[in-house]
Amino acid sequence: MSEIKITKELVESHGLSQAEYQKILEMLGREPNYTELGVFSVMWSEHCSYKSSRRHLSKFPTKGPQVIQGPGENAGVVDIGDGLAVVFKMESHNHPSFIEPYQGAATGVGGILRDVFTMGARPLALLNSLRFGSPSHPKTKFLLNGVVSGIAGYGNCIGVPTIGGEVYFDPCYNGNILVNAFCLGLAKKEGIFKGIAAGVGNPVFYVGSKTGRDGIHGATMASDSFEEDSEEKKPTVQVGDPFTEKLLVEACLEVMKKDLIVGIQDMGAAGLTSSSVEMAARGGMGIEIEMAHVPRRETGMTPYEILLSESQERMLIVANKGKEKDVERIFQKWDLDVVQIGKVTEDGKFRILDSQKLAVDIPVESLTDEAPVLDRPAQAPQNLKEIQTLDLKDIPEPENAGETLLKLLATPSIASKEWIYQQYDHMVRINTILLPGSDSSIIRVPGTDKAIAISVDCNSRYVFLDPYVGGKITVAESARNLACSGAKPLAITDCLNFGNPEKPETMWQFVESIRGLSDACTALNTPVVAGNVSFYNETNGEGIYPTPTVGAVGILEDAEKHLSQWFKNSEDRVYLLGETFEEIGGSEYLAVVHGKVQGLPPALDLEKEKALQELLIDLAKEQICKSAHDCSEGGLAVALAECCISAPEKALGAEIVLPERDIRQDAYLFGESQSRVVVSVSEGKDEEYLCARALKKGVPLYKIGTVGGECLQVSIDSKPSLSCELDLLCRTWKEPIGRIAES
């Protein structure tokens, strides 16, 4: 094939600016060839280089006595004692899932699994955070069904349980859905592997599936906004094979146990290029690869196509010299391709040969450390003051609080997600302790008395209205969900989903939300150990709400002492921990009932939040509470309803009498004041202990009612406010998402 001429148009089509191209010319001292241009385009893409976000991500707290590995590797690693560690990360697969929802979501699951087991950990659990457009949008049904089927199809087949997650619906996601996948695995503390190339002359092996033309320029596509022609980008979506991945998991874990390899890396975004370049960069080495040796499933593939393919279920391994036959035997036993395709070099070059002819010759540093780092302008939106202004005098209180509660329970973002999670296998490997549907998901640590609790959260409406406060609340709620289950929060991973970073308003949202996330992580001792940035979630100039999703991980020293959110026994006493204020800005109630997204999100005092979480963990340890459920979307009334009806078996009513407060009834019932949790306890000594511990911690405490009956009845002081039968609450809450998917 004759060499393709490098033109201005060709450079731009690769997502590179003219300034970036000039930098390439200066680095190389010559013009790149077509294949080299492709290599620079993916390695300098937003998706791989983090050029718009890198300087801001450095502000995160990333260290702590529990942290074994922070950001910079395939996944984060946290010590849980007994010589064990949990390995976890969350990543986005937004653009592919919007273009082709089944394969986009499925390969998102496959990719996050590889990020975890490449560290030497056996995957234990999957979760996801999903955002879809308006339920009435013509594509929502198709996208919802495709994404859920893709997650189920991959996770169920590979035999890793999907144990929880979150799902929201909002018109801002009509043109860009979000599919964020989380995976957690378990490893021996001394058995962590990294994606590093070391040892001059050590062999480089390609293992797994063969390379095809699927996914070429996937990283570049994920670093660009959508326009009307997004359907034409379907060829950039990869195709997954969970059965091959299952074999790959077992083969990789076996080869790691036998001390045969130096480093291992998933061929994820930018495929063979990013995996080999990143491994070489971490080791301060060079790497040389021969294209003729790469297994292919299609004929006539060029070095450009091979290097940029994002075919799934492939890994790159640097083995110890002299151990080649041992490595080959293991992967051949698992019926996987295993081919030595190159070697580690000492010259710091990324060198690609095509049948012994030099095809690529680029310094590794040029593709990694010397990639552009942009200081993009950040400016608050001009309409910020307008959207943050809310005059409560303009908001009429609803005449019937019971009807308002039913309307909120029927909102898909609040309604039961059972239709979704019943399609996932959440019991495979029988380590799941708490099934989906509570504040956090809990999975047993095999061979110990311990359990791990996991929660994924983000209220993007809050972040839209005030990115700093919204960022703080995201971390606080995710950690609070863990504490409600009895778990001590350890660390977080994030998935930062934003619009076009070239817009100063988007960068301001990004910078401010990072400030909020950082402050909350510092206050709550939950360092950031891994993460992902997804920019350009924008179609035809319309971006999503800023959605910095957080996955929080916590530890229960005694798995038997976990808590769930639903009421357990009639005659148990119901208490409210925390204060309620007149706050309805940014609430689900304001959006659903009054059609307004405005005002300030609720205030958050991190010291009070920390005291509340410490109290909850203490109460669980002493087995004082029967249930605990935080107040979030929909406020106190929705939280109480969920306590009544979310049990996997029998629903239980409650008679609630709230103390009189000098605030509006709608704010009392449906406002979303932070740091509030509904707990239930047995009458008598447990009540006394609860009150004493709350007083000692300085956490406000109100006795508000009793469990029992066939209704949820709520009064404020002595005045009846709402009364709803359990059967009606259940039907209203359980049916909405199924109707969207099956209508």
Side-chain angles (χ1 to χ4, degrees):
M1 186 181 80
S2 60
E3 186 56 48
I4 296 173
K5 181 175 175 58
I6 307 300
T7 64
K8 180 181 178 181
E9 292 73 24
L10 187 64
V11 169
E12 290 177 353
S13 73
H14 279 70
L16 294 164
S17 69
Q18 286 303 308
E20 288 171 337
Y21 184 64
Q22 285 302 313
K23 185 174 181 178
I24 292 170
L25 294 177
E26 292 168 11
M27 285 176 166
L28 295 180
R30 59 177 173 81
E31 188 177 77
N33 61 41
Y34 179 61
T35 303
E36 290 173 329
L37 183 69
V39 168
F40 272 106
S41 79
V42 292
M43 291 307 299
W44 284 14
S45 69
E46 195 71 61
H47 194 73
C48 291
S49 75
Y50 285 34
K51 57 188 173 186
S52 297
S53 59
R54 207 185 316 172
R55 65 172 62 242
H56 303 293
L57 298 176
S58 64
K59 299 169 186 173
F60 279 137
T62 59
K63 299 185 185 304
Q66 72 274 41
V67 178
I68 296 172
Q69 176 65 56
E73 264 294 338
N74 290 295
V77 186
V78 173
D79 190 346
I80 61 168
D82 296 327
L84 298 173
V86 286
V87 179
F88 58 93
K89 189 181 183 183
M90 183 160 53
E91 279 214 339
S92 63
H93 230 226
N94 304 335
H95 285 57
S97 299
F98 182 73
I99 294 171
E100 212 305 296
Y102 183 92
Q103 291 296 346
T107 52
V109 173
I112 200 65
L113 282 162
R114 291 193 297 279
D115 280 340
V116 167
F117 76 72
T118 192
M119 301 289 291
R122 177 170 292 282
L124 282 186
L126 292 162
L127 289 86
N128 49 73
S129 173
L130 310 177
R131 298 291 193 283
F132 297 99
S134 169
S136 61
H137 190 274
K139 286 195 75 169
T140 296
K141 174 184 175 181
F142 165 71
L143 292 168
L144 172 63
N145 279 289
V147 166
V148 171
S149 296
I151 292 169
Y154 207 99
N156 294 357
C157 288
I158 202 169
V160 178
T162 300
I163 63 172
E166 61 165 4
V167 187
Y168 286 85
F169 295 79
D170 193 282
C172 77
Y173 303 107
N174 283 346
N176 287 84
I177 64 170
L178 303 183
V179 175
N180 295 175
F182 173 102
C183 181
L184 177 138
L186 183 69
K188 290 183 178 178
K189 183 179 173 181
E190 303 303 324
I192 302 299
F193 280 80
K194 298 183 180 181
I196 187 170
V200 175
N202 272 340
V204 176
F205 278 91
Y206 173 118
V207 302
S209 294
K210 291 179 168 59
T211 295
R213 289 188 170 94
D214 51 329
I216 293 174
H217 269 301
T220 307
M221 179 267 287
S223 307
D224 197 7
S225 300
F226 280 152
E227 304 296 339
E228 294 292 351
D229 64 350
S230 62
E231 292 294 317
E232 297 174 10
K233 298 181 181 178
K234 277 193 177 181
T236 60
V237 177
Q238 313 95 319
V239 177
D241 178 357
F243 299 104
T244 297
E245 179 117 337
K246 174 61 177 170
L247 300 176
L248 193 60
V249 171
E250 300 304 330
C252 288
L253 291 178
E254 182 176 342
V255 83
M256 290 173 185
K257 282 181 182 176
K258 297 188 175 178
D259 194 29
L260 303 177
I261 67 175
V262 176
I264 180 170
Q265 175 94 353
D266 163 37
M267 291 190 214
L272 180 56
T273 294
S274 64
S275 56
S276 51
V277 168
E278 288 171 4
M279 290 182 80
R282 292 191 190 108
M285 307 299 288
I287 196 163
E288 181 178 289
I289 294 175
E290 170 58 74
M291 291 290 95
H293 299 330
V294 175
R296 280 160 277 184
R297 66 169 183 262
E298 298 183 46
T299 59
M301 290 187 71
T302 65
Y304 180 100
E305 292 173 320
I306 296 168
L307 285 172
L308 272 58
S309 167
E310 294 183 8
S311 293
Q312 296 291 286
E313 294 85 39
R314 303 179 302 158
M315 308 288 282
L316 197 67
I317 288 176
V318 175
N320 285 305
K321 199 168 186 178
K323 301 290 186 180
E324 293 89 343
K325 294 298 181 185
D326 295 323
V327 171
E328 289 170 357
R329 271 194 294 269
I330 289 172
F331 284 94
Q332 287 167 354
K333 181 183 78 171
W334 290 99
D335 200 23
L336 294 166
D337 276 304
V338 51
V339 181
Q340 183 177 337
I341 62 170
K343 62 184 179 182
V344 177
T345 62
E346 61 183 346
D347 61 4
K349 291 286 191 75
F350 177 54
R351 187 176 290 109
I352 299 299
L353 304 177
D354 182 21
S355 299
Q356 297 301 310
K357 294 180 182 177
L358 190 62
V360 172
D361 189 16
I362 303 173
V364 168
E365 283 192 348
S366 299
L367 298 169
T368 54
D369 294 348
E370 296 176 12
V373 177
L374 304 179
D375 186 11
R376 294 195 184 274
Q379 182 179 340
Q382 291 185 349
N383 67 339
L384 183 64
K385 187 174 182 180
E386 178 186 340
I387 63 174
Q388 289 183 339
T389 300
L390 178 65
D391 190 340
L392 293 183
K393 286 182 271 189
D394 297 334
I395 309 298
E397 291 202 57
E399 294 179 4
N400 188 318
E403 288 181 2
T404 301
L405 173 59
L406 292 171
K407 190 169 186 179
L408 286 169
L409 290 174
T411 302
S413 293
I414 289 178
S416 169
K417 309 306 185 292
E418 184 177 357
W419 182 91
I420 293 173
Y421 64 69
Q422 70 183 1
Q423 299 182 53
Y424 304 150
D425 187 339
H426 33 260
M427 288 304 294
V428 63
R429 295 186 181 273
I430 63 171
N431 289 315
T432 307
I433 294 174
L434 187 58
L435 302 181
S438 196
D439 282 337
S440 61
S441 303
I442 303 178
I443 194 157
R444 182 179 290 102
V445 178
T448 75
D449 294 330
K450 298 178 179 180
I452 298 298
I454 311 163
S455 174
V456 291
D457 285 284
C458 180
N459 187 315
S460 60
R461 198 179 286 132
Y462 292 168
V463 188
F464 168 69
L465 293 170
D466 187 326
Y468 173 70
V469 174
K472 286 200 302 181
I473 290 174
T474 296
V475 173
E477 183 178 351
S478 201
R480 190 187 313 135
N481 283 334
L482 300 182
C484 282
S485 71
K488 177 186 176 183
L490 292 175
I492 72 163
T493 178
D494 60 52
C495 199
L496 309 177
N497 308 275
F498 287 79
N500 186 344
E502 297 164 39
K503 294 183 176 179
E505 297 81 6
T506 298
M507 279 309 297
W508 178 81
Q509 292 172 332
F510 183 76
V511 172
E512 283 295 289
S513 67
I514 281 183
R515 191 166 67 90
L517 292 167
S518 298
D519 284 356
C521 286
T522 300
L524 300 175
N525 300 317
T526 54
V528 180
V529 297
N532 170 240
V533 178
S534 174
F535 277 131
Y536 294 99
N537 292 288
E538 179 177 290
T539 296
N540 296 328
E542 291 293 321
I544 61 166
Y545 285 160
T547 312
T549 307
V550 159
V553 173
I555 183 81
L556 280 144
E557 294 296 335
D558 186 343
E560 299 304 315
K561 294 181 178 179
H562 71 274
L563 288 170
S564 54
Q565 71 181 36
W566 46 85
F567 293 143
K568 304 299 186 299
N569 308 303
S570 292
E571 302 306 321
D572 281 349
R573 300 316 193 224
V574 183
Y575 283 79
L576 174 64
L577 303 173
E579 292 282 13
T580 303
F581 302 99
E582 197 166 72
E583 298 173 307
I584 62 171
S587 66
E588 197 77 16
Y589 160 73
L590 190 65
V592 171
V593 176
H594 298 285
K596 294 180 182 294
V597 178
Q598 63 187 88
L600 290 169
L604 174 66
D605 184 318
L606 287 168
E607 286 304 311
K608 291 180 179 177
E609 178 69 40
K610 185 177 181 182
L612 171 67
Q613 293 187 21
E614 290 174 348
L615 172 63
L616 289 165
I617 295 164
D618 183 43
L619 294 172
K621 197 178 296 183
E622 298 297 326
Q623 295 186 287
I624 300 302
C625 294
K626 301 297 183 184
S627 68
H629 183 32
D630 86 315
C631 299
S632 55
E633 286 84 4
L636 178 56
V638 165
L640 288 165
E642 290 172 338
C643 289
C644 292
I645 62 177
S646 62
E649 298 170 356
K650 180 175 170 53
L652 283 171
E655 187 169 337
I656 304 295
V657 181
L658 300 174
E660 188 173 10
R661 292 288 308 275
D662 188 22
I663 60 175
R664 294 164 51 121
Q665 177 182 254
D666 56 353
Y668 207 162
L669 295 176
F670 309 116
E672 297 172 5
S673 293
Q674 293 296 293
S675 307
R676 295 183 303 161
V677 172
V678 174
V679 298
S680 62
V681 295
S682 299
E683 185 181 13
K685 289 184 179 179
D686 287 350
E687 282 189 277
E688 294 171 10
Y689 185 94
L690 169 65
C691 294
R693 296 300 299 169
L695 180 64
K696 186 175 180 180
K697 275 289 182 185
V699 175
L701 176 75
Y702 301 94
K703 185 174 183 177
I704 61 172
T706 304
V707 177
E710 299 299 319
C711 296
L712 170 61
Q713 299 180 62
V714 179
S715 301
I716 299 177
D717 196 16
S718 58
K719 300 173 185 175
S721 182
L722 66 84
S723 179
C724 294
E725 293 183 0
L726 293 183
D727 184 58
L728 178 58
L729 289 174
C730 285
R731 289 200 319 272
T732 302
W733 180 67
K734 286 192 173 182
E735 295 175 357
I737 291 183
R739 283 199 298 266
I740 296 169
E742 297 168 0
S743 60

